[in-house]
Amino acid sequence: MKKQFTKTLATLLLGITVVGNAIASEKIDRRKVVTRHNPHVTHLDSLSSLTVGNGRFAFTVDATGLQTFPQEYSLGVPLGTMSEWGWHSFANHDGFEAKDALANHDFHRGHPEYYSLQIKQPERTRKAVDYLRANPHRLHLGTIGLDLSDASKMNDIDQHLDLWTGKIDSKFTYDKQTYHIETVCDPGLDCIATNITSDGNIGVVFSFAYPTGGHCDDACRWDADKLHNTTLKSEKNSAVITRTIDNTLYYIYVSWKGNAEIIQTGRNKILLKSKGKNLSFSALFQSNSDEFGISEKSGITTKIPQIPDYPLCAKASSERWYSYWTEGGFIDLGNVKDKRATELERRIILSQYLMGAQEAGNIPPQETGLTYNSWFGKFHLEMTWWHLVHYGLWNKSELLDRQISWYASAEGKAREIARRQGFKGVRWMKMTDPSAEEAPSNVGSFLIWQQPHLIYLAELTYRAAKSEEERTKALEKYGKLVDETALFMCDFAEYDSVNDRYILRGCIPAQETLKADSTVNPPFELSYWLTALDMAQKWRIRRGLTPMKDAQMVIDKLSPLAFNADSMYLAAESATDTYSNIRMTSDHPALLGALGMMPDNKLLDKTIMSNTLRWIWENWNWDKTWGWDYPMTAMTCARLGEADMAIDALLMPKRTNTYLINGHNYQDQRLRVYMPGNGGLLTAVAMMCAGWDGCETSTPGFPKDWDVRWEGLLPMP
């Protein structure tokens, strides 16, 4: 233990590279590792679009380096311009309120429990549910593309994304005319900048669509021009575009260099046309609303502000990405002889880039990041584990802290959920938006595995703090939320007097095929309850407070994980048909998370978990799993000493474990982008390198013959 602590401390403080079980004095050449995975696009492919972004705002482009052909990409990886502040709601003519979707669901706990559900009758309630699920929805802020109309005329495509600087460099010919376009995103402003050189005509079209309010799409309805409005006010070499969509108002400030003019060519279309062979322009997007507390109202005006030009944006982008890549943890698989290491390293690097470009803002991310809308653009709090845990393990605590800070603004809504269900403390919602309103759901409203996330994420923030002062600030900032989160967990755990134990019931577990009314003691949730309550007790001790008596009672008497006659864990104590029900084995193998995502504990037995892992590995319907199931499995393998299986899990050749040329984790035709897979991969490989509390082996999740080099990573709890 002392040896592992010393090694970890040296790695953190000195940036020393760990190679297998040894410590090397030579640091990793991070730039070399990053840039050998720069995506290279050579043809028009709707699944190969690339993104520039600052974590709060992202701009996704096609092979032209801009958003020239959005319709051609709409069913691939769409050409989104999205932000964390850009939201819209359709007019609420019927005055629907959150209470309209509430219904009492009796779990026989001696008190009413009101849940936000997808009720179908009466008709007004159904309409209220539909409205509340779809509003607010994330807004596509506008398409910026070249004034070209026929994608078939594109040839000689040569497009590169420089991951080290965040610049997309695009070259191609169109109808025998050459184009060279460079595209970057400013790190401090929601601003893209582009430099265009061509021996043909240069025209840039700003096109705006009405939102669809759809469950899963590019959020662009192009056939509703009269439902929204765009106005243009121009000065010399600059302009402001004002967008009005119902009650939503925002601006795009445009500035350019070169001889060009800007004109309005349609109700919702603007053309910036160059009179020469070069055009350099910037477009700054800014909200007129501070409704959710995530945008800056100060300085928003129709007066055109100073906007950084392309050279300034490119310089700032390069500096930002240099810091991103050189700070925190890093992994180098370049010395591994196994040919699969190249693909694994590519996935690691591209996943880091996507997180930095799309998931480094001030609110939890949605499943599809800032690329296109899924679940109406709302985010899912049970997924914050997969989106954010890696930031703690990769020693980027400021990016983790920035996003979990949102929980404080959601506390009031979470307290109301617990109150109307008859529980103490706060119950964190599942599907929500920046306002923290709970979206109605017949599944999500009964989930509980999002509940301990705040405690776990706060613990990672505390562990990653660089000084005692930072640790104290973390305790002060999150201490109350940790207590209130644990208070609900204690109250939700039900005492079984017959067997003198605490049970979890009246819930849907992470394996969503199980039913709320019949499920008792799902294994992952039991393990997580124990782990998080133990963390909450330690937080109270760190703050000089007495441990919670109720929490200790639950910790002492929480039910062990149930298993069958073949010594394999059940998906729930009540799910005795776990291994014979094809429907049950066609979902997340979530029971593996009890040891993998969670540490070893008194509720489980490693031999039984090993038996369970083997059966799942050989018999599970992997074609019906999701992107985060593979890293979850890898973490279980690692904790059980099955390093070869851990690698096989991360690279299992299944559709939902596909990583596109841009690094996105492809699931199916609906979810071409699935960021929890990327985040889960980063979490798993960090744990496989740095280990976990009590682990005395370096790189415990990698085969012994893999020459894995890493630095700056933190052990997992």
Side-chain angles (χ1 to χ4, degrees):
M1 179 72 74
K2 183 177 180 181
K3 177 182 177 182
Q4 174 67 15
F5 174 79
T6 304
K7 183 184 298 184
T8 301
L9 184 64
T11 304
L12 292 176
L13 299 182
L14 303 178
I16 292 174
T17 301
V18 177
V19 183
N21 293 314
I23 294 179
S25 59
E26 182 180 350
K27 288 180 64 63
I28 296 171
D29 185 343
R30 296 192 177 195
R31 180 169 188 168
K32 180 180 178 181
V33 176
V34 170
T35 56
R36 66 186 175 216
H37 299 291
N38 287 345
H40 182 203
V41 176
T42 58
H43 59 285
L44 208 67
D45 180 356
S46 66
L47 292 176
S48 297
S49 47
L50 302 174
T51 298
V52 292
N54 57 30
R56 307 175 310 277
F57 167 87
F59 184 77
T60 301
V61 305
D62 58 27
T64 68
L66 289 170
Q67 300 165 325
T68 306
F69 302 111
Q71 281 85 354
E72 284 83 348
Y73 281 70
S74 63
L75 298 179
V77 177
L79 310 182
T81 304
M82 291 190 164
S83 70
E84 61 182 20
W85 53 260
W87 295 78
H88 168 266
S89 291
F90 297 123
N92 187 2
H93 297 299
D94 295 305
F96 297 130
E97 299 180 64
K99 65 181 181 180
D100 293 333
L102 296 181
N104 181 29
H105 194 101
D106 188 4
F107 284 110
H108 307 290
R109 285 192 267 238
H111 53 77
E113 298 182 40
Y114 285 91
Y115 291 83
S116 184
L117 303 177
Q118 291 167 273
I119 307 165
K120 296 183 178 180
Q121 294 294 335
E123 184 178 0
R124 174 181 163 78
T125 300
R126 179 186 59 78
K127 290 181 177 180
V129 166
D130 292 343
Y131 182 86
L132 294 169
R133 279 179 63 81
N135 293 280
H137 40 263
R138 204 177 298 258
L139 193 61
H140 192 299
L141 299 173
T143 298
I144 305 176
L146 292 173
D147 189 19
L148 306 176
S149 59
D150 187 352
S152 68
K153 293 183 178 180
M154 283 191 65
N155 290 291
D156 307 317
I157 295 171
D158 184 19
Q159 183 181 57
H160 295 264
L161 167 57
D162 184 352
L163 300 168
W164 191 257
T165 64
K167 182 177 77 171
I168 298 174
D169 189 286
S170 309
K171 298 176 183 177
F172 62 93
T173 61
Y174 181 89
D175 204 16
K176 299 182 180 180
Q177 297 172 333
T178 62
Y179 287 84
H180 181 199
I181 301 178
E182 300 164 289
T183 310
V184 295
C185 178
D186 191 272
L189 298 170
D190 295 344
C191 176
I192 63 107
T194 300
N195 186 61
I196 307 172
T197 303
S198 175
D199 56 13
N201 297 321
I202 301 177
V204 175
V205 180
F206 295 75
S207 303
F208 303 96
Y210 191 69
T212 63
H215 180 275
C216 188
D217 61 16
D218 64 357
C220 291
R221 182 181 170 189
W222 295 103
D223 63 348
D225 224 27
K226 294 182 179 180
L227 298 181
H228 58 120
N229 192 54
T230 304
T231 60
L232 174 68
K233 175 185 176 183
S234 62
E235 299 176 4
K236 184 179 180 180
N237 292 94
S238 62
V240 58
I241 300 170
T242 302
R243 292 280 297 130
T244 306
I245 312 173
D246 300 316
N247 291 324
T248 300
L249 182 68
Y250 66 97
Y251 306 104
I252 303 97
Y253 301 105
V254 185
S255 68
W256 62 89
K257 289 186 176 180
N259 187 6
E261 64 174 346
I262 191 166
I263 57 174
Q264 187 153 3
T265 59
R267 182 182 175 94
N268 294 294
K269 187 168 290 189
I270 307 291
L271 175 64
L272 174 62
K273 189 171 182 60
S274 174
K275 297 179 181 179
K277 301 302 181 184
N278 179 263
L279 176 65
S280 178
F281 75 92
S282 301
L284 168 65
F285 292 77
Q286 202 164 35
S287 172
N288 189 52
S289 170
D290 196 29
E291 178 184 357
F292 302 128
I294 55 175
S295 64
E296 294 290 340
K297 283 188 77 172
S298 59
I300 295 178
T301 173
T302 54
K303 182 179 179 181
I304 301 169
Q306 286 292 113
I307 305 172
D309 60 12
Y310 175 79
L312 282 175
C313 277
K315 181 175 184 294
S317 173
S318 180
E319 291 172 349
R320 182 259 173 159
W321 283 104
Y322 175 83
S323 297
Y324 182 83
W325 289 117
T326 57
E327 295 173 1
F330 202 81
I331 298 173
D332 176 6
L333 301 180
N335 296 289
V336 178
K337 294 181 180 179
D338 190 322
K339 294 181 179 180
R340 297 177 299 167
T342 300
E343 172 59 15
L344 180 57
E345 186 183 84
R346 183 187 76 89
R347 296 183 181 195
I348 293 170
I349 294 298
L350 290 175
S351 293
Q352 285 180 275
Y353 177 81
L354 289 171
M355 290 293 163
Q358 301 199 40
E359 298 203 352
N362 302 297
I363 61 173
Q366 69 163 322
E367 312 304 81
T368 43
L370 296 173
T371 304
Y372 73 102
N373 279 353
S374 54
W375 288 273
F376 311 101
K378 297 185 179 185
F379 44 89
H380 297 174
L381 291 194
E382 89 279 19
M383 287 291 104
T384 54
W385 202 98
W386 297 106
H387 287 290
L388 303 180
V389 164
H390 66 93
Y391 282 130
L393 304 185
W394 285 74
N395 216 2
K396 295 180 182 290
S397 59
E398 70 284 356
L399 297 181
L400 173 60
D401 176 70
R402 185 186 298 169
Q403 296 182 70
I404 62 174
S405 295
W406 173 85
Y407 279 85
S409 68
E411 180 185 3
K413 296 287 177 66
R415 187 176 304 282
E416 170 57 23
I417 294 172
R419 186 200 64 78
R420 62 174 157 80
Q421 293 172 1
F423 297 109
K424 300 175 183 177
V426 297
R427 180 172 188 169
W428 300 110
M429 59 290 297
K430 189 270 195 198
M431 176 174 157
T432 188
D433 59 75
S435 73
E437 196 63 71
E438 183 181 25
S441 172
N442 289 341
V443 173
S445 294
F446 298 115
L447 291 179
I448 60 170
W449 66 290
Q450 74 273 20
Q451 183 64 20
H453 287 351
L454 183 279
I455 298 174
Y456 194 97
L457 295 170
E459 174 69 9
L460 293 182
T461 301
Y462 178 86
R463 288 167 172 245
K466 305 298 190 296
S467 65
E468 189 62 36
E469 181 182 4
E470 287 186 11
R471 284 188 285 274
T472 299
K473 287 183 178 179
L475 293 174
E476 293 173 349
K477 183 174 183 179
Y478 296 114
K480 180 175 178 290
L481 288 178
V482 167
D483 283 349
E484 293 297 305
T485 300
L487 188 59
F488 170 85
M489 294 172 64
C490 294
D491 204 25
F492 187 84
E494 186 174 336
Y495 182 62
D496 172 12
S497 59
V498 174
N499 297 294
D500 189 27
R501 61 174 185 164
Y502 282 91
I503 64 173
L504 299 179
R505 72 175 187 91
C507 61
I508 293 179
Q511 188 166 345
E512 295 181 4
T513 49
L514 297 171
K515 304 299 183 183
D517 290 312
S518 56
T519 296
V520 178
N521 284 339
F524 168 62
E525 283 76 4
L526 283 172
S527 188
Y528 205 175
W529 239 244
L530 182 70
T531 299
L533 286 177
D534 183 63
M535 288 177 176
Q537 296 288 66
K538 291 176 181 176
W539 267 64
R540 290 186 64 82
I541 294 171
R542 291 167 184 163
R543 294 155 60 210
L545 301 175
T546 303
M548 294 173 63
K549 182 179 179 180
D550 289 348
Q552 197 58 50
M553 291 172 60
V554 175
I555 290 171
D556 291 342
K557 295 188 176 184
L558 197 59
S559 300
L561 276 56
F563 55 91
N564 64 12
D566 295 322
S567 292
M568 296 188 297
Y569 283 123
L570 301 173
E573 183 178 311
S574 52
T576 55
D577 62 342
T578 295
Y579 299 97
S580 60
N581 187 335
I582 185 63
R583 184 170 179 268
M584 197 168 295
T585 57
S586 297
D587 191 15
H588 305 293
L591 65 171
L592 293 179
L595 179 66
M597 294 171 67
M598 296 298 112
D600 189 12
N601 60 66
K602 67 177 183 177
L603 303 182
L604 56 84
D605 180 280
K606 283 188 174 181
T607 299
I608 299 177
M609 184 58 80
S610 182
N611 295 338
T612 305
L613 171 65
R614 292 287 177 180
W615 192 96
I616 289 175
W617 188 273
E618 296 172 4
N619 299 283
W620 206 262
N621 189 355
W622 289 100
D623 290 326
K624 297 293 185 180
T625 53
W626 295 64
W628 55 267
D629 292 327
Y630 305 98
M632 177 180 66
T633 302
M635 287 185 277
T636 303
C637 293
R639 293 213 195 234
L640 290 173
E642 301 285 357
D644 289 292
M645 286 182 70
I647 297 297
D648 290 340
L650 291 181
L651 295 171
M652 193 178 292
K654 299 295 180 180
R655 186 194 69 247
T656 51
N657 199 33
T658 299
Y659 283 72
L660 303 173
I661 190 172
N662 45 33
H664 279 301
N665 179 206
Y666 180 91
Q667 300 297 286
D668 53 29
Q669 291 182 351
R670 181 183 65 159
L671 288 173
R672 290 86 68 193
V673 169
Y674 191 62
M675 302 291 276
N678 299 98
L681 171 70
L682 295 177
T683 295
V685 295
M687 177 254 231
M688 290 162 63
C689 285
W692 48 87
D693 292 351
C695 176
E696 299 184 5
T697 304
S698 181
T699 59
F702 287 92
K704 293 181 179 179
D705 61 346
W706 277 48
D707 184 6
V708 179
R709 306 190 176 198
W710 61 272
E711 57 194 23
L713 300 170
L714 293 176
M716 199 174 191

